Amino acid sequence: RARAAAINLVPASTGAASEAAGATRFDVQRVLGVCQGFTPTGLFARSLAECLSLQLAERDRLDPAMTTMLAHLDLIARRDIATLKRLCGVSAEDILEMMTEIRQLDPRPGTA
């Protein structure tokens, strides 16, 4: 499709992509899901949090506490253990383990 070539590879939303491509939002989400299944895991993620969550899901490590932590990447960067502990509902030791696990992920899959 000629119109598909003009679409930004990472549109702001599936709604914007569907409008630009003349496709339904469902079709765009379906194609995005297929593309996000490509290797390495994390390709076609629309944000850093989504990239990391795709990798954690592949490892069967995306639980509610980890999902909450990924929603607060700024707190991870600041190493705000107390706030993360409260938000995630886990111990400080668990927070440190989760942070270590996140740091082992690839924030830019495909660049290697």
Side-chain angles (χ1 to χ4, degrees):
R1 290 184 170 167
R3 287 189 351 186
I7 297 174
N8 184 349
L9 290 177
V10 185
S13 70
T14 53
S18 65
E19 275 185 39
T24 67
R25 188 175 285 187
F26 173 78
D27 287 338
V28 170
Q29 289 173 335
R30 187 172 49 83
V31 170
L32 179 62
V34 170
C35 292
Q36 287 180 342
F38 294 163
T39 302
T41 303
L43 288 177
F44 295 95
R46 295 165 290 178
S47 68
L48 175 58
E50 185 176 49
C51 177
L52 300 175
S53 67
L54 289 167
Q55 293 175 49
L56 288 166
E58 179 182 61
R59 297 174 180 197
D60 197 29
R61 285 289 299 129
L62 190 62
D63 57 22
M66 190 66 87
T67 300
T68 300
M69 181 175 261
L70 291 175
H72 298 90
L73 291 174
D74 60 317
L75 297 176
I76 295 172
R78 291 194 312 246
R79 295 190 53 85
D80 189 343
I81 307 298
T83 303
L84 286 168
K85 189 173 107 171
R86 183 178 47 79
L87 290 170
C88 296
V90 297
S91 69
E93 182 179 316
D94 287 339
I95 292 294
L96 293 173
E97 287 176 16
M98 292 164 66
M99 290 172 74
T100 298
E101 193 166 357
I102 288 171
R103 284 192 181 99
Q104 293 171 352
L105 302 173
D106 185 356
R108 294 185 181 144
T111 57

